[in-house]
Amino acid sequence: MHTNYYFLRQLAPALEAHLTGLKLMECFSQDRDELVLTFAQAKGKVNYYRPFYIKATLRPDFSGLLFPEQVHRARTNSVNLLEELYERPVEYVHSFLNERCLGIGLEGGITLLFKFFGNRPNLVTFQGETVIDLFNTKLAEDNALKLPQIDRLIDQSWEAFAAAGDDHRKLFPTFGKEVNAWLNEKGIAEMSGQEKWALIQETLHLLTHPRYYLTTFEHKPALTLVPLGDVRQEFDNPVEAANQFYAAFMGRNNLERERGELLRLLEKRLKRTQAYIDTNFERLMNHDESTRYEELANILMANLHQTPEQSDRRATDRVELYDFYRDKPIVIKLKPELSLQKNAETYYRKARNEKIEIDNIQQGIGRREHEAEALRRHIAAIQEIDSLRELRKYVKTNGLNLEKATPTPVELFKQVIVEGFTILIGRNAKNNDRLTQQYSFKEDLWLHARGVPGSHVLIKYQPGKNYPKTVIERAAQLAAWYSRRRTDSLCPVIVTPKKFVRKPKGLAEGQVVVDKENVVLVEPKGE
């Protein structure tokens, strides 16, 4: 929480007490992702009078502020920054509403804004409301920032909480992982709406009248405003707390750092694997509880002699028959243009696909259960290792290079099995790019609703097999369903081999160019 809104809200007045009356004397960088600002009352021939230093680390993987008592500037590889702002007095230090930003106001309408947005931290300099300088110039979108628009107004009333379905995460996105973990420890998921609201108010009191805790979270040092995990130290001064956290985070020994990162990645993989198991167990249970396609086909065949053929009855899309499996009537959906026997054959074909899908689900669950058990064994073994050499040997021996490991397509995309063919469906624009660019081969069949935004859909190629028309039609129905044409009666869908789909440089996420296409018209149908 060292860059969390609630911490910065406490840090701002503490820094203002230190910086009021001081001037910006120097700003320099000795590292691509770090800079140092020196504030003081005056500068002598050698030293500063009453100096206060701010060292900002602005890496994509870690950002934060340190307030050292001394800074030693290297004679080489050191670059001056913001020289035109030297000698300007500090007028205020300001935090921003519901945002991870801290502003230092200088005379003349200058604001130095520390922006701690995930993997995009930066120092942005404003003249009035307009950006005039960026520390990290690669984050060009920061040029569009407007100072008055950084405050983020969120209705955090009881009425808004109730309207959000008692989901606090929609109203309090600034809580972050640590506070949400604290709320989960308190059992918020099992509480009623009123109980959740009372706990949230209690937590807000802790965040706005805080103690500062140096603790461990996800196997790494963390600074929190709630007593989470194994608390090492407690502070009542945010500047001191930030310094001690920074020292703890940067000063971890190699064994602790590598082991903690490895455990974090293993636990993330285990969580994802367990989620896959739970989701697919639920799919199996839904299959067990619903009427099977084979049963519907058998019921139709058993009642052929009691039901007039298509030519003798009015066109209808359903029929009520006796369900001898459950000893009660059942309504079965029909295709009115087909006879009952042909409808039964359609259900038998669906039953074969259903059996293939169930077999695939069961096999997938089995594989993931073995994987989960192996991950638990690795986690237990790594927690006992007390030598860096032994840890690295264990990683190499067991092939645990998780940094390079990539999730399987089944984990990343929606999946449907039709006649033994796997159909993968992108979930959003970024996910569409991933599906088409990273998880497809030139022999795969690519589908997309024509002329409107929608999901990319792939039918995975099977060596030696042609794509059945029924599989293509089903994939096209899914492409239509997961598009802006979902409510249309008929939707044109592009069908083409993946080798004819390319993404030129400069296109937005999810956008591609199709060099050769066929188009089919289908009715949008979901899973």
Side-chain angles (χ1 to χ4, degrees), residues 91-115:
E91 294 186 337
Y92 62 87
V93 180
H94 174 63
S95 63
F96 292 80
L97 185 63
N98 294 315
E99 274 298 2
R100 291 170 292 171
C101 291
L102 185 75
I104 298 176
L106 305 179
E107 185 180 77
I110 299 295
T111 302
L112 305 177
L113 179 81
F114 292 98
K115 177 177 75 76

Side-chain angles (χ1 to χ4, degrees), residues 265-479:
L265 291 169
L266 286 169
E267 288 175 357
K268 183 177 180 180
R269 174 75 65 82
L270 179 60
K271 183 178 179 181
R272 189 169 60 223
T273 301
Q274 191 59 53
Y276 175 91
I277 292 170
D278 294 344
T279 299
N280 283 277
F281 261 128
E282 187 174 343
R283 289 175 65 188
L284 281 181
M285 290 173 62
N286 290 337
H287 275 295
D288 290 339
E289 292 172 0
S290 63
T291 305
R292 297 285 182 87
Y293 288 127
E294 185 175 6
E295 293 175 358
L296 297 176
N298 289 337
I299 293 170
L300 283 174
M301 292 300 292
N303 287 278
L304 286 179
H305 64 287
Q306 299 181 14
T307 309
E309 283 298 317
Q310 169 71 14
S311 58
D312 300 327
R313 61 186 173 87
R314 294 180 179 177
T316 178
D317 62 353
R318 61 193 65 235
V319 64
E320 183 176 319
L321 299 172
Y322 172 65
D323 181 356
F324 47 79
Y325 290 101
R326 297 164 186 81
D327 191 25
K328 63 179 183 181
I330 185 173
V331 174
I332 301 177
K333 292 183 179 180
L334 302 174
K335 291 187 175 180
E337 69 274 12
L338 300 179
S339 67
L340 289 180
Q341 183 170 342
K342 290 294 183 181
N343 272 287
E345 290 175 6
T346 299
Y347 277 116
Y348 279 128
R349 186 176 67 250
K350 288 184 177 181
R352 289 193 295 272
N353 294 337
E354 184 178 55
K355 185 178 185 306
I356 293 171
E357 182 180 6
I358 290 171
D359 289 343
N360 285 333
I361 292 172
Q362 290 173 333
Q363 291 172 15
I365 289 174
R367 288 194 299 271
R368 293 308 189 283
E369 286 178 331
H370 286 300
E371 182 181 342
E373 183 57 34
L375 288 168
R376 292 188 186 98
R377 287 198 303 269
H378 288 316
I379 290 170
I382 289 168
Q383 286 173 334
E384 299 298 320
I385 293 175
D386 56 7
S387 159
L388 182 60
R389 183 176 180 180
E390 186 182 348
L391 176 65
R392 289 174 176 173
K393 180 181 178 181
Y394 186 91
V395 170
K396 184 176 180 180
T397 303
N398 291 277
L400 297 181
N401 191 3
L402 299 184
E403 291 282 9
K404 296 181 180 178
T406 55
T408 65
V410 172
E411 295 168 328
L412 289 169
F413 314 109
K414 294 180 186 292
Q415 178 190 226
V416 177
I417 306 295
V418 179
E419 297 181 28
F421 282 81
T422 299
I423 300 173
L424 299 177
I425 307 164
R427 300 175 185 272
N428 50 48
K430 186 174 182 178
N431 198 238
N432 282 339
D433 271 353
R434 201 170 189 179
L435 175 61
T436 300
Q437 302 301 316
Q438 299 179 31
Y439 287 90
S440 65
F441 299 94
K442 63 180 182 179
E443 298 89 356
D444 294 340
L445 210 56
W446 186 90
L447 301 93
H448 192 283
R450 197 170 194 277
V452 293
S455 292
H456 294 195
V457 176
L458 280 182
I459 308 176
K460 297 302 291 180
Y461 174 71
Q462 294 189 17
K465 292 186 179 180
N466 294 324
Y467 294 105
K469 288 184 179 180
T470 50
V471 174
I472 296 173
E473 180 183 359
R474 183 69 188 102
Q477 290 173 339
L478 290 166

Side-chain angles (χ1 to χ4, degrees), residues 45-100:
K45 291 183 178 180
V46 179
N47 298 318
Y48 293 105
Y49 177 62
R50 280 196 59 210
F52 187 85
Y53 301 100
I54 299 178
K55 181 179 180 181
T57 299
L58 301 170
R59 300 200 311 261
D61 61 329
F62 175 79
S63 60
L65 300 177
L66 173 69
F67 311 100
E69 292 187 2
Q70 292 183 330
V71 171
H72 300 288
R73 182 172 182 177
R75 294 183 179 180
T76 59
N77 299 321
S78 182
V79 179
N80 285 324
L81 304 171
L82 305 178
E83 292 180 275
E84 67 279 7
L85 304 181
Y86 290 0
E87 298 288 337
R88 295 196 185 218
V90 174
E91 294 186 337
Y92 62 87
V93 180
H94 174 63
S95 63
F96 292 80
L97 185 63
N98 294 315
E99 274 298 2
R100 291 170 292 171

Side-chain angles (χ1 to χ4, degrees), residues 142-158:
D142 286 349
N143 283 303
L145 290 174
K146 298 295 182 184
L147 199 60
Q149 297 173 8
I150 293 176
D151 283 319
R152 183 165 49 149
L153 297 174
I154 303 175
D155 185 354
Q156 296 175 336
S157 64
W158 160 254

